Amino acid sequence: SPGNKNIDPEKGRTYTLGMLVEPNNNIYFSADYVGFFIKDEFSLRPTQDIVDDYFAKRATGDNVVNTEPTNHYITSVTRPYTNIGWSSQYLIKLESGIKWSLGAVKFDYKADSVRTLSNKSLRADGTVKQYNGLEGSPRWRWNNALTSIFGDWAWTLSSMTIAKQEPDPENGETYADYYFNDQVDEFTQYSTSVAWTYSDNGSVTLGVNNLAD
């Protein structure tokens, strides 16, 4: 990708406000509010975003879509590093955990969840777009993991749940005839693993992701 001598340095701010409750070594709960704001953000814009803007007749900034002169098929996309505006994301993160024993077996349960409040950016054409809830940017995620430990062996069963994601209405209108535009429904993926600790410095883990697939 070509360079760009005219880009300005990025400037960012981060906001964090949190709390931790830990009544003993076996129980904890934490909550954090996190905000990110980046000004004069520079990056290579995703090729698909540039193509989307091109077909929708929106400005592509310093990015150039090269086409075949006869049929106007896209042959390449020139993407220099450019200041693409600003982006911001604000979210709440929750974590908790508890440990207990049942005879010789120890149990360790952990859960965490992220709720995105806003995820938007200034685009090359000067408009601000909110991505929260659209495909690729779910509003929330929730992870759980339960580990049972017996001697040198540990078995973990985990789940990952991701919120429903709506289709991008801009892409739906642009590619009305051939763009896959169905929503991504809420789904949960289950995984499991078994670990054997054979020494103080080593262990072996065997796992399977997405058990239901």
Side-chain angles (χ1 to χ4, degrees):
S1 300
N4 188 346
K5 296 184 295 183
N6 299 319
I7 59 176
D8 296 321
E10 291 182 341
K11 299 177 182 178
R13 297 193 300 268
T14 302
Y15 308 92
T16 303
L17 178 65
M19 60 172 287
L20 172 64
V21 178
E22 193 172 12
N24 56 55
N25 293 331
N26 296 321
I27 300 175
Y28 77 92
F29 172 81
S30 67
D32 295 280
Y33 169 80
V34 183
F36 304 95
F37 181 84
I38 300 177
K39 181 182 179 183
D40 294 327
E41 184 177 23
F42 64 84
S43 178
L44 294 173
R45 287 196 67 207
T47 301
Q48 188 61 55
D49 287 356
I50 300 170
V51 172
D52 290 346
D53 286 344
Y54 172 80
F55 280 117
K57 302 186 184 306
R58 295 190 295 264
T60 60
D62 292 332
N63 304 283
V64 179
V65 177
N66 305 299
T67 60
E68 190 270 330
T70 303
N71 298 312
H72 302 291
Y73 296 140
I74 294 177
T75 57
S76 63
V77 177
T78 304
R79 300 185 304 152
Y81 279 95
T82 57
N83 292 110
I84 60 176
W86 55 261
S87 63
S88 65
Q89 186 176 43
Y90 300 93
L91 56 89
I92 294 174
K93 183 176 183 180
L94 305 175
E95 292 187 37
S96 63
I98 183 171
K99 298 178 181 179
W100 73 96
S101 298
L102 187 60
V105 182
K106 299 178 181 179
F107 296 92
D108 186 353
Y109 171 74
K110 295 180 180 179
D112 67 83
S113 178
V114 174
R115 173 76 181 194
T116 302
L117 305 176
S118 177
N119 180 19
K120 58 186 179 180
S121 65
L122 176 65
R123 302 190 297 183
D125 63 355
T127 61
V128 176
K129 182 170 183 177
Q130 175 64 258
Y131 294 90
N132 196 25
L134 299 182
E135 292 179 70
S137 184
R139 287 187 173 87
W140 57 266
R141 300 170 184 264
W142 183 28
N143 302 312
N144 295 271
L146 175 63
T147 301
S148 56
I149 304 169
F150 181 73
D152 297 330
W153 293 88
W155 172 50
T156 299
L157 179 63
S158 61
S159 67
M160 175 182 66
T161 303
I162 297 180
K164 180 179 70 174
Q165 301 162 61
E166 299 290 346
D168 189 328
E170 292 181 354
N171 290 343
E173 295 174 2
T174 302
Y175 300 111
D177 294 331
Y178 54 91
Y179 184 77
F180 181 78
N181 203 39
D182 290 341
Q183 69 183 22
V184 179
D185 290 325
E186 176 184 325
F187 70 92
T188 300
Q189 175 180 303
Y190 297 95
S191 302
T192 188
S193 65
V194 176
W196 172 49
T197 302
Y198 58 84
S199 71
D200 292 338
N201 300 317
S203 64
V204 177
T205 302
L206 178 64
V208 178
N209 292 325
N210 200 5
L211 291 171
D213 189 5

